[in-house]
Amino acid sequence: MKRLTVTTALAVALLAPTALSPQLASGATTGTTGAEATTGKPGTHLENSFERPRAAGPYTLDDWAKEGFTAPWQQGMESRAVLDDEAPAHTGDKSLRVLYPKGKIGPEDSGMQAPFRLDKARQYYVSQWVRFDENFSWGTVYNAGKVGIGLAGGASCSGGQVCDGTNGFSSRFIWRLNTGEAALYYYHMGHEGQYGDYVTLKRKGETVHWPKGEWVNIVQRVKVNTVTDGQANPDGMIEVFYNGEPAAKVTGLRFVTNDDQVDRAYFSSFAGGATWEFAPQNDSYIWYDDITVSTNRADIPELKGRP
């Protein structure tokens, strides 16, 4: 699938608010996950179905940690992320409801962010179930925002940075346009524009649009390139599956020239955008459920039995 240069409007949508907090840039970028801390084994397979705590309250970093997901910081989790047992969950009784307030943009005021630590590995899969509310607003004048949990490594190059092979990489999902078009937004060495590249998701040749009021599954696989004598080999790749079917595949990627690998599952979801034009026209919500992160495809339920 051909890589596409980001349009001007999308570039504005994905400016500085996408960058990692300075707390992470100056702090540890690797570490033991909760699973390793409690079992002594590498935490390469994590799951969260949001069934453990009592509903109607905020879903905090401590709650995530009980499922093995640990992060050094968060934005919006305690004020805009609620464990919900009233809306239909994908499985079980509960799911995570995240608020994107009317008139608000960026991770400080919209959605939530947290860089969950992973044991360093060249390849990871992340699977999540997503449901947009029936009245979800894609924006005002412009329409764009980030969706759910992605993958990143090293210093997580993003936010208009030039990826030079030593400052990491990132790969996340977005919505764009007033149709809610689904796309993958990723930073790698040699991205075509000032900002990251994106590729529209397609299933059986048709553009994928995030549906409203319906649970859908999205899986992302990131494989980091190899390095020879300090030079990045063009053998990195990103692969996406939508409801179990191939939706995007980008090959020939160069992410790193050092030993950085995937080391975090980066929950990064908010409206916009650096300007008010991307703000929702009404309070909007996305529900998340049944998140799985693993180095092994066999651990991803939605891909079992799929070619």
Side-chain angles (χ1 to χ4, degrees), residues 182-204:
L184 177 79
Y185 179 63
Y186 58 103
Y187 274 76
H188 62 106
M189 293 176 64
H191 51 77
E192 297 178 9
Q194 180 181 353
Y195 306 99
D197 290 337
Y198 79 94
V199 60
T200 299
L201 304 189
K202 292 184 179 291
R203 185 175 57 166
K204 298 178 179 177

Side-chain angles (χ1 to χ4, degrees), residues 48-51 59 64 80-84 88-91 94-100 111-112 127-132 136 145-149 173 175 210 215-216 218 267-270 285-291:
N48 196 346
S49 59
F50 303 103
E51 292 298 312
Y59 196 78
W64 281 96
R80 295 186 294 273
V82 174
L83 197 64
D84 186 6
H90 172 250
T91 61
K94 304 168 189 173
S95 59
L96 183 69
R97 187 189 73 194
V98 178
L99 169 65
Y100 306 78
M112 63 161 277
S127 173
Q128 62 194 309
W129 286 85
V130 179
R131 184 170 74 87
F132 289 77
F136 194 88
K146 288 189 172 58
V147 181
I149 192 166
F173 293 110
W175 77 80
W210 298 108
W215 283 105
V216 295
I218 193 81
F267 203 117
S268 175
S269 187
F270 53 87
Y285 300 89
I286 303 177
W287 285 261
Y288 300 94
D289 205 355
D290 296 324
I291 293 172

Side-chain angles (χ1 to χ4, degrees), residues 231-256:
Q231 299 297 312
N233 299 315
D235 55 4
M237 66 174 295
I238 306 173
E239 194 172 12
V240 176
F241 300 86
Y242 180 86
N243 283 343
E245 297 181 358
K249 188 174 184 179
V250 188
T251 60
L253 294 174
R254 297 179 305 132
F255 293 109
V256 301

Side-chain angles (χ1 to χ4, degrees), residues 6 32 39 42 59 70 73 82 124 172 211 229 231 268 278 280 297:
V6 182
T32 54
T39 66
Y59 196 78
T70 63
W73 56 266
V82 174
Y124 265 98
R172 293 162 287 173
D229 296 329
Q231 299 297 312
S268 175
F278 294 93
R297 178 183 171 121

Side-chain angles (χ1 to χ4, degrees), residues 32-198:
T32 54
T33 63
E36 184 172 359
T38 56
T39 66
K41 298 179 181 179
T44 56
H45 179 196
L46 300 173
E47 297 180 352
N48 196 346
S49 59
F50 303 103
E51 292 298 312
R52 188 188 299 265
R54 180 178 299 179
Y59 196 78
T60 67
L61 276 181
D62 286 342
D63 294 320
W64 281 96
K66 291 174 182 176
E67 310 301 330
F69 291 79
T70 63
W73 56 266
Q74 59 81 26
Q75 288 179 300
M77 192 176 292
E78 297 181 356
S79 57
R80 295 186 294 273
V82 174
L83 197 64
D84 186 6
D85 65 352
E86 295 184 359
H90 172 250
T91 61
D93 298 320
K94 304 168 189 173
S95 59
L96 183 69
R97 187 189 73 194
V98 178
L99 169 65
Y100 306 78
K102 175 182 178 180
K104 301 294 184 180
I105 58 169
E108 291 186 358
D109 298 312
S110 176
M112 63 161 277
Q113 288 199 122
F116 296 112
R117 296 185 180 101
L118 299 174
D119 292 309
K120 191 174 178 179
R122 186 181 173 206
Q123 171 181 278
Y124 265 98
Y125 291 81
V126 58
S127 173
Q128 62 194 309
W129 286 85
V130 179
R131 184 170 74 87
F132 289 77
D133 80 55
E134 290 82 353
N135 297 311
F136 194 88
S137 172
W138 304 119
T140 303
V141 178
Y142 303 125
N143 306 271
K146 288 189 172 58
V147 181
I149 192 166
L151 294 168
S156 299
C157 181
S158 59
Q161 296 174 326
V162 175
C163 303
D164 62 11
T166 67
N167 60 346
F169 56 90
S170 59
S171 180
R172 293 162 287 173
F173 293 110
I174 60 173
W175 77 80
R176 61 182 301 269
L177 306 179
N178 61 5
T179 58
E181 182 179 291
L184 177 79
Y185 179 63
Y186 58 103
Y187 274 76
H188 62 106
M189 293 176 64
H191 51 77
E192 297 178 9
Q194 180 181 353
Y195 306 99
D197 290 337
Y198 79 94

